Amino acid sequence: MILDTNFIIALRSDAPDAAEKAAELEASAVPLRLPSVVVHELYVGVGAGSDPTRNVREYEALVRNKPIVPLDENIARRAGALEGQHLASETKPDLGLADAVVAATGLVYNEAVVTDDTSDFGSVDGLRIETF
C-alpha cells in the first residue's frame, strides 16, 4: 500500500478516520510504502513550521519502519507520462509532480494509494485508491 502525504499529515493531526485506516492497515499486515516524494513534502512542512525539531520527531515517528520507495527510472517515466496526460487533458485535473510520482508508484508497484485526495488520484486511469 502506497501512503500519500495527506494520510501522514492526517495521522499527525490525530484525525479519527486516518487513525482508523492506519489500524486497519497495520492489522492486515500489508506492506506500507512511502514514495520518496512524500518524505520531501513532509520535510517542506518541517522547514516551514514554527517548531522544526518537534515536526521532525513527530513525522519520523509516523514513518519509522516503513520502506521509502526511491524515484527510479520506471517511476519517473510513468510519472512524467501521467503528468503530461493530465496537462493535455481537458477533463482531468493537473496532477503536479508530487501527485504524479505517488500515483506512478502505485501503478508500478500495483498497489493502492491511501489518500483522501480523490479528485486528483481518482482521475488516474488504472490506479486504485483507499480512502480514509
Side-chain angles (χ1 to χ4, degrees):
M1 199 73 60
I2 308 302
L3 306 180
D4 186 28
T5 308
N6 67 7
F7 179 64
I8 303 299
I9 291 171
L11 285 174
R12 181 177 182 230
S13 301
D14 295 322
D17 292 344
E20 184 178 321
K21 177 55 95 174
E24 174 190 319
L25 292 171
E26 294 290 335
S28 72
V30 65
L32 303 176
R33 305 176 207 279
L34 286 164
S36 57
V37 73
V38 168
V39 176
H40 164 79
E41 288 187 311
L42 294 174
Y43 271 75
V44 168
V46 166
S50 60
D51 190 347
T53 303
R54 186 177 119 230
N55 292 345
V56 167
R57 187 174 56 251
E58 290 178 0
Y59 282 135
E60 287 301 324
L62 289 168
V63 303
R64 184 177 300 124
N65 300 323
K66 291 176 180 59
I68 307 296
V69 179
L71 178 59
D72 66 17
E73 63 186 89
N74 292 327
I75 294 171
R77 286 185 177 111
R78 192 76 174 260
L82 283 173
E83 189 173 6
Q85 289 164 2
H86 280 244
L87 283 170
S89 173
E90 293 184 18
T91 59
K92 294 182 182 213
D94 290 349
L95 281 180
L97 176 75
D99 284 352
V101 171
V102 171
T105 304
L107 292 169
V108 167
Y109 276 76
N110 194 29
E111 295 180 5
V113 172
V114 180
T115 187
D116 69 352
D117 184 359
T118 56
S119 62
D120 286 341
F121 290 108
S123 68
V124 176
D125 295 334
L127 181 66
R128 292 177 292 122
I129 57 174
E130 294 255 347
T131 58
F132 60 93

